[in-house]
Amino acid sequence: MIGFDFFLDRFGVFLSALFIFIGLMSFIYALATLKKKGHRLEFYITMLLIVASGIGVALSYNLLLIFICWEISTFALWRAIGFYREKEGLSAASFAFITNFIAASIMLVGFIMLYIDNGTFNIFEIQQYNMVAVVLIMVGILAKSVTLPLHIWLVPAYKAIPSAIGGCLAGIAENLGAVLFLRLFTSSNFIAPPFFTAVAWIAIVSSLLLGGAALLSNRLRSLLAYSTISQLGFILLGFAVGGTYGTIGGLIYILAHALAKSGLFFGVGIIEDMTGKDDLSSLCSVLKISPALGVLMALLAGSIVGFFPMLGFWAKLMVVIGAVAKSTYLGIGAIIAAVFTLLYNWRFYHELFFAKPSCRLSKIKKPSYTALAVVFVLAMVSLLLGIFFYQPINYLTANGGF
Amino acid sequence: MEFWGVNIYYWIIFLPIAGGLLGFIINRLRSEFNFVALVGTLYFAIRIFLKTRGEPIFDNLAQIGSFNFRFYLDNLTGFILLFVAISAFLVWLYSLKAMSKRPRERVFYLYLSLTLAAANAVVLSGNLIFLFIFWNLLVFSLYGMLQVAKGDQDSSFAARKAITIIGVADYALMLGIVILLVTVGDVDFPVAEKLTLSNPWLITSYILIMIGALAKLGTMPLHTWIPESAKVVPASTLAFIPGSIDKLLGVYLLIRVSYFIFDISGSMSLRILLMVIGVVSIVVMALAALMQKDAQRVLAFSTVSQAGYMVLGIGTGMPVAIAGALFHMLNNVLYKSVLFMTVGSVEDRTRTTDLALLGGLGSKMPVTLFAFVIAVLAISGVPPFNGFYSKWMIYQGIISMSNQLPLWFIFLICAMFGSILTLAYSLKLLHAIFLGQKPESLNKVKEARFVMVVPPLVLALACVVFGVFANIVPLKLFVLPSLPFKIGSIGFWSPNLATILIIVGIIIGLIIYLIGTVSKPKKSRVFVGGETLNEDEARVTGIDFYSSITTFDMLDKTYSFSEGGAFDFYNYLQGAARGLAYIFKNVINYIIVGIYRSIGKIVRAMGNLTSFLHTGELYNYVGWIFLGGIILMLLLAL
């Protein structure tokens, strides 16, 4: 029923490498910026657990093992979100934990139903997909990959989590749902196509609605949270439409988004450390304080919006091609979501760095240069991978993956 | 086609990038690096131009995933590449002094090179996806370039507006290209068989790509970033981007997609759409330009208006008019750059582009005035300058549509009206800056620096040559070979005869002026409200030339609306997005959070119920046990 059921395939190695890299960047950032507030040991253990669980889900082909790693990451997130033991942090952590745990339990029921039908937890051998089981599993996936309607836990979580681990959350933990979807469902011949169309539309609606929320929100962390939810919609869309473009596009999108979102998270963390404020209405003209951060966050925001030569351009292009290949209306929905992405990202960037040029911020502490270096590395990796985009794409398509 | 062993295409794309990056990093040698890059680009462009006079050239670069990267060079490519390089070189030369000691000039040159490299790559690309990649890069480089402001002004809002509008159009372009890719399979040039617009998805694809091209070209309704940035951005940027590159690239994409990939000569409605967009841009923008009070803004609206002519010409579907549109694009690059550069020279000397503060500079800056006058005559379509020729060709195209389109004369009248308005606002600009009375503050103004005078003069000379020798130089060499069809005779144009007639006309006019009873203007003292005003205070500026238009209430209201941004696509976009966002946020908050709250309430209710049942008394529990036992036994018995 369960054993050391790990395997190496190109998709798995790709994802694991990404998770380890994000973990490394978070680690360096944490070394530089984590305030000396007790329980730092717990912090590093939590971070390692998140990375390990991510790799576990990516490399495993046994559903029960995937579930175990999934739950490890839920547990680790619970510890991480409540790290600064403040009241809102604790309630955010509980909310996140309960939502994910219940959804995962529902997903477990789905797994067990698949086991009963097929006699095995092995992904490669499962042939009969009971629609009820599929729906139950989707509940777990929706919760973990923060898609409407199970997305609510992310916004308070982002507000409470220390920015060092926020990168891990954004880059690793949130992608686990999409990874499971990729392993189990994408391009599967045993599931009826209407399911995929339904998931694709759920993803697009999630992306649109939450993109709208991002346009209106003023707190930096909430903006990041809504932005993440919106982008995860694209990833799920890519995996739902399947095909070469959709699958590879989804994987590249995971890569691009993890790099860019962690970078933005770290950048926002730096700004919070420097100015003590985390609200767009009280911040202004940050470019004057830190021009380097301005350039770097422009690159990262550009990756999310999808400007060449950042990696996000290729990700978005491939996902859109995949979507249009399935149905042009999906493509139109994806483009409208992309327009929202452009609008809210540029509003965020402009309001943060350029607005109100005449105001002066008080009490500016110097940013930690290590932290800036981490953001720089993430931006440069996005840029280089975008220019030499054939490297990841060729790697992924070389022998098919799965 | 090789140079030092590497194919020229790579040179022409990477040389500007390398030059720009090196120049940015090593600031002291910046001019040298940029010089090498730009002259090198010009050299390669000339080589490519000459090479493409024969057969088209294709070259497959790589195949990644299923993206096919290839180059495709035909006559049109060579033509546009040549003028992109010329324009970049002249703007760079001009900027050497125009941008010196301005804030952020280092970054300006970086973005200039990046834009040049991306533009070259766009023109060289043989595949719509390849083109799209670099088109996208142009959005980013445009943003960067617009962040370089004029003096100590803040151009970040204009940059944001530009990136939003162009970004949205970019997404439309992406969708159009992807739909085409998915429907047809591949989007390589040259297309073996031009697609007809039968399928609704193909029509959608065409319209989306057209939107992308029109946003770059800067016609209505996606033009508002141009006047917005014209207030705060230096003249070099304006001369380069909205003046030259955007027109070149926008027309390039529009012609490629209209006549090389699709063939819209068969689709009347699409052509009418293009013509309407063109005509509306011409007239409305020219009217807007009349009332502006800032020189660069007048020119910005003028740019949009001229772009309308190009779209109009392409939309007619008549070969003469399409050739006219291409020629008009070329002419626009020439005279628009002169106008922006000369205004920039004035600004460099006087530190202002506000028309109310300028005046009478003709005596101080004669050479600049000379170039400006030639550009004004060219843009207004006065023979024998180039503007006349290209507009004439477009008019001819419209006239030859008379049997296809019953309302053709409306388009013709609007285009000619636009031409009249062009002359009107250009003369206003001429008077307000160079003629008229000079304010005291400008007494010490000198002629523009040498490096800033040469590029406008060269371009003005080109205007004259391209006009007088229109058949020989521009049309035969550049425009006509670039089109995929042959053109019949364009008309009877004899440069020598026309020039002689015009010179004779001018001489006769001068004689009439001198013979007539013209004496020196009378001077009198001005006595207003108990005070004598001196000459400076009583100065009449040129900005109120056409203010009689504001006596029409409706026009006045329209002007104030549009100045307030009522017709601004950017505002609509933001408004719509925010409106939708508000709806979305409320949907999420009320429906979904409501569901969560209800679940919470249910769970709490269940908890309360069970805790209510746990009374703590032993006898209650014994009672429950017995009850449960009885039920179980009943069930087992049944």
Side-chain angles (χ1 to χ4, degrees):
Chain A
M1 186 154 88
I2 186 171
F4 192 75
D5 295 330
F6 293 112
F7 74 121
L8 291 176
D9 74 331
R10 291 185 169 246
F11 290 175
V13 171
F14 177 80
L15 289 166
S16 310
L18 169 67
F19 294 159
I20 294 179
F21 180 69
I22 300 283
L24 182 64
M25 291 292 116
S26 304
F27 177 67
I28 298 177
Y29 183 87
L31 280 180
T33 62
L34 201 60
K35 305 178 189 42
K36 288 181 176 16
K37 243 196 199 177
H39 42 266
R40 278 174 87 182
L41 182 62
E42 178 191 353
F43 179 86
Y44 293 118
I45 294 180
T46 313
M47 191 188 295
L48 287 174
L49 276 180
I50 295 183
V51 175
S53 60
I55 298 179
V57 171
L59 291 181
S60 167
Y61 60 85
N62 182 311
L63 280 178
L64 200 54
L65 194 54
I66 289 181
F67 176 75
I68 293 176
C69 294
W70 188 285
E71 287 300 87
I72 292 178
S73 88
T74 307
F75 170 79
L77 275 182
W78 175 55
R79 299 307 300 177
I81 296 174
F83 182 71
Y84 300 127
R85 309 270 195 257
E86 295 154 8
K87 192 160 150 281
E88 299 98 24
L90 293 176
S91 69
S94 310
F95 189 19
F97 181 72
I98 291 180
T99 315
N100 275 316
F101 188 74
I102 295 181
S105 312
I106 298 178
M107 188 171 76
L108 182 63
V109 173
F111 284 162
I112 294 179
M113 287 180 73
L114 281 183
Y115 180 76
I116 295 178
D117 278 340
N118 291 283
T120 172
F121 276 125
N122 189 330
I123 296 183
F124 296 121
E125 295 166 13
I126 295 184
Q127 308 237 339
Q128 282 201 324
Y129 286 92
N130 186 341
M131 263 337 252
V132 178
V134 166
V135 170
L136 292 178
I137 297 178
M138 272 313 289
V139 171
I141 291 181
L142 286 182
K144 196 61 159 205
S145 74
V146 207
T147 312
L148 206 78
L150 292 164
H151 65 281
I152 297 214
W153 59 273
L154 195 71
V155 181
Y158 263 42
K159 284 202 197 127
I161 203 170
S163 39
I165 270 204
C168 281
L169 170 57
I172 305 178
E174 286 161 6
N175 295 318
L176 294 185
V179 171
L180 178 61
F181 190 93
L182 171 68
R183 288 289 190 215
L184 201 54
F185 297 141
T186 302
S187 305
S188 166
N189 296 325
F190 305 112
I191 304 182
F195 167 69
F196 290 115
T197 318
V199 172
W201 279 110
I202 292 178
I204 288 189
V205 168
S206 166
S207 192
L208 275 176
L209 260 57
L210 274 305
L215 197 55
L216 292 177
S217 79
N218 264 331
R219 304 198 53 181
L220 290 177
R221 294 278 186 112
S222 310
L223 254 169
L224 283 182
Y226 289 126
S227 167
T228 307
I229 304 174
S230 196
Q231 299 310 302
L232 286 171
F234 272 100
I235 298 178
L236 199 58
L237 172 67
F239 287 147
V241 293
T244 327
Y245 282 112
T247 321
I248 308 288
L251 280 166
I252 303 278
Y253 213 110
I254 289 183
L255 175 64
H257 179 248
L259 292 172
K261 207 26 103 24
S262 334
L264 281 177
F265 217 111
F266 295 150
V268 165
I270 293 177
I271 292 178
E272 284 170 0
D273 282 342
M274 281 202 295
T275 63
K277 298 187 179 55
D278 64 345
D279 205 321
L280 272 184
S281 46
S282 51
L283 282 171
C284 53
S285 199
V286 177
L287 189 69
K288 285 210 217 70
I289 306 174
S290 178
L293 201 57
V295 171
L296 292 175
M297 286 184 69
L299 289 176
L300 292 166
S303 186
I304 294 193
V305 172
F307 287 141
F308 187 79
M310 308 303 293
L311 186 59
F313 168 76
W314 296 107
K316 218 164 228 149
L317 182 64
M318 294 179 85
V319 167
V320 168
I321 294 181
V324 171
K326 192 146 176 95
S327 147
T328 319
Y329 295 108
L330 274 178
I332 296 180
I335 289 284
I336 298 182
V339 169
F340 266 100
T341 310
L342 170 68
L343 286 175
Y344 70 68
N345 263 308
W346 234 260
R347 169 185 175 258
F348 159 68
Y349 182 71
H350 181 89
E351 298 275 332
L352 186 58
F353 284 101
F354 289 103
K356 301 186 251 174
S358 49
C359 87
R360 298 263 169 270
L361 286 172
S362 53
K363 288 191 278 202
I364 311 292
K365 286 186 260 174
K366 286 197 71 93
S368 151
Y369 287 114
T370 323
L372 264 180
V374 168
V375 180
F376 176 74
V377 167
L378 285 169
M380 282 302 119
V381 170
S382 293
L383 180 62
L384 289 171
L385 279 178
I387 298 178
F388 299 107
F389 67 98
Y390 50 84
Q391 293 286 20
I393 292 186
N394 279 343
Y395 177 75
L396 286 172
T397 51
N399 287 321
F402 187 77
Chain B
M1 244 198 321
E2 312 229 317
F3 182 79
W4 290 353
V6 176
N7 219 323
I8 283 196
Y9 329 122
Y10 303 115
W11 275 110
I12 207 173
I13 297 179
F14 288 110
L15 188 58
I17 295 183
L21 275 174
L22 283 172
F24 179 68
I25 298 174
I26 310 178
N27 204 11
R28 249 184 298 146
L29 294 176
R30 185 184 65 226
S31 309
E32 286 77 0
F33 280 125
N34 280 326
F35 176 72
V36 167
L38 286 162
V39 169
T41 309
L42 191 55
Y43 164 69
F44 290 125
I46 295 178
R47 268 186 76 170
I48 292 184
F49 175 72
L50 291 173
K51 196 74 186 219
T52 57
R53 293 301 103 189
E55 283 295 307
I57 304 173
F58 329 58
D59 202 355
N60 273 323
L61 171 53
Q63 182 131 13
I64 297 166
S66 36
F67 294 133
N68 199 4
F69 293 110
R70 61 195 305 228
F71 294 111
Y72 173 70
L73 296 89
D74 68 354
N75 283 315
L76 182 61
T77 310
F79 163 44
I80 302 239
L81 210 56
L82 181 64
F83 280 96
V84 165
I86 292 178
S87 164
F89 178 71
L90 286 174
V91 167
W92 171 77
L93 195 59
Y94 178 80
S95 309
L96 278 181
K97 282 296 185 234
M99 291 295 296
S100 72
K101 303 198 187 34
R102 300 261 181 154
R104 314 193 66 203
E105 69 168 301
R106 242 176 105 166
V107 164
F108 170 81
Y109 288 106
L110 175 66
Y111 288 124
L112 181 73
S113 323
L114 208 56
T115 310
L116 176 61
N120 286 339
V122 164
V123 176
L124 283 175
S125 58
N127 183 317
L128 270 181
I129 299 254
F130 195 14
L131 187 147
F132 177 66
I133 295 172
F134 288 99
W135 195 272
N136 203 310
L137 180 57
L138 281 171
V139 178
F140 221 13
S141 71
L142 174 70
Y143 182 68
M145 221 162 168
L146 286 180
Q147 292 275 28
V148 177
K150 197 155 66 163
D152 36 352
Q153 281 156 318
D154 177 35
S155 61
S156 58
F157 178 67
R160 178 185 176 187
K161 197 174 209 180
I163 205 178
T164 308
I165 296 181
I166 302 259
V168 169
D170 193 64
Y171 284 127
L173 182 63
M174 182 204 272
L175 189 60
I177 292 181
V178 169
I179 292 180
L180 197 57
L181 182 70
V182 165
T183 319
V184 172
D186 93 37
V187 285
D188 289 344
F189 305 153
V191 182
E193 196 182 288
K194 293 189 203 163
L195 305 166
T196 50
L197 292 154
S198 42
N199 189 339
W201 288 127
L202 284 179
I203 297 184
T204 316
S205 165
Y206 174 76
I207 292 185
L208 288 169
I209 301 183
M210 180 189 86
I211 290 178
L214 286 182
K216 195 86 180 139
L217 200 47
T219 52
M220 291 185 82
L222 298 166
H223 66 284
T224 43
W225 61 276
I226 302 181
E228 181 79 39
S229 47
K231 282 189 281 204
V232 287
V233 153
S236 318
T237 312
L238 289 173
F240 188 49
I241 297 193
S244 323
I245 292 266
D246 272 6
K247 300 289 174 291
L248 288 165
L249 293 177
V251 171
Y252 174 75
L253 182 61
L254 195 58
I255 284 197
R256 280 274 190 236
V257 79
S258 307
Y259 295 107
F260 283 82
I261 300 181
F262 294 92
D263 191 2
I264 64 169
S265 346
S267 165
M268 198 60 194
S269 37
L270 281 177
R271 284 153 65 200
I272 293 185
L273 176 66
L274 277 177
M275 287 172 74
V276 166
I277 291 179
V279 164
V280 167
S281 297
I282 295 174
V283 173
V284 173
M285 288 290 109
L287 280 175
L290 280 180
M291 302 304 293
Q292 295 303 318
K293 300 190 176 53
D294 179 289
Q296 280 182 312
R297 267 181 78 100
V298 173
L299 292 179
F301 282 109
S302 169
T303 306
V304 181
S305 180
Q306 296 302 308
Y309 277 103
M310 299 173 215
V311 175
L312 174 61
I314 294 180
T316 57
M318 296 287 133
V320 166
I322 301 172
L326 261 186
F327 193 21
H328 198 80
M329 167 194 80
L330 178 58
N331 295 334
N332 192 63
V333 167
L334 298 177
Y335 50 63
K336 216 11 136 336
S337 304
V338 174
L339 288 173
F340 275 121
M341 285 181 186
T342 45
V343 166
S345 303
V346 166
E347 198 252 338
D348 183 60
R349 286 301 188 201
T350 63
R351 296 283 149 199
T352 178
T353 52
D354 190 340
L355 289 177
L357 302 173
L358 293 169
L361 290 171
S363 51
K364 295 279 186 188
M365 304 176 80
V367 186
T368 312
L369 168 66
F370 177 66
F372 192 85
V373 166
I374 292 187
V376 161
L377 291 176
I379 197 176
S380 315
V382 173
F385 298 102
N386 49 5
F388 162 73
Y389 212 86
S390 56
K391 281 189 189 168
W392 185 263
M393 288 169 74
I394 296 178
Y395 296 157
Q396 248 196 302
I398 303 178
I399 296 176
S400 51
M401 279 182 86
S402 54
N403 50 349
Q404 293 179 19
L405 180 61
L407 294 174
W408 59 275
F409 55 89
I410 295 188
F411 292 104
L412 186 65
I413 291 177
C414 287
M416 288 181 155
F417 183 51
S419 197
I420 299 174
L421 291 175
T422 309
L423 180 65
Y425 63 69
S426 307
L427 282 183
K428 165 179 170 167
L429 208 53
L430 177 65
H431 181 95
I433 302 180
F434 292 103
L435 307 176
Q437 297 171 283
K438 190 158 37 117
E440 294 266 322
S441 49
L442 297 182
N443 266 336
K444 299 219 181 52
V445 163
K446 295 179 285 190
E447 177 57 86
R449 301 185 238 217
F450 179 69
V451 176
M452 292 170 72
V453 150
V454 165
L457 272 182
V458 167
L459 290 169
L461 183 66
C463 283
V464 176
V465 167
F466 279 21
V468 172
F469 299 109
N471 264 332
I472 309 176
V473 176
L475 282 181
K476 193 167 119 186
L477 285 187
F478 302 133
V479 173
L480 292 178
S482 310
L483 294 171
F485 29 67
K486 290 275 171 255
I487 300 192
S489 90
I490 299 180
F492 178 57
W493 170 252
S494 161
N496 304 322
L497 182 60
T499 315
I500 292 176
L501 280 175
I502 288 174
I503 292 181
V504 167
I506 293 179
I507 292 179
I508 294 181
L510 264 177
I511 295 176
I512 295 179
Y513 177 72
L514 289 174
I515 290 182
T517 52
V518 170
S519 47
K520 281 177 87 148
K522 278 167 67 167
K523 278 193 141 162
S524 61
R525 269 195 335 181
V526 178
F527 190 76
V528 174
E531 289 193 10
T532 332
L533 298 172
N534 63 15
E535 204 176 294
D536 203 39
E537 285 164 345
R539 190 172 71 95
V540 176
T541 65
I543 56 175
D544 293 315
F545 258 22
Y546 304 110
S547 19
S548 43
I549 291 187
T550 52
T551 57
F552 294 117
D553 252 341
M554 210 178 77
L555 274 179
D556 193 22
K557 292 241 166 45
T558 319
Y559 273 123
S560 28
F561 263 161
S562 90
E563 285 293 308
F567 300 120
D568 193 341
F569 170 75
Y570 174 77
N571 291 339
Y572 286 143
L573 183 66
Q574 292 281 28
R578 279 181 182 253
L580 278 175
Y582 197 69
I583 297 176
F584 291 161
K585 195 162 190 183
N586 285 340
V587 161
I588 299 173
N589 279 341
Y590 288 131
I591 298 184
I592 297 180
V593 175
I595 294 179
Y596 278 104
R597 295 230 175 90
S598 331
I599 295 180
K601 285 203 189 108
I602 292 176
V603 169
R604 222 170 294 137
M606 280 170 45
N608 283 339
L609 179 64
T610 46
S611 75
F612 176 72
L613 292 176
H614 282 239
T615 56
E617 286 188 33
L618 188 58
Y619 294 106
N620 273 342
Y621 294 151
V622 171
W624 285 118
I625 291 175
F626 270 123
L627 188 57
I630 293 173
I631 294 179
L632 271 176
M633 278 196 283
L634 283 176
L635 284 175
L636 283 174
L638 287 171

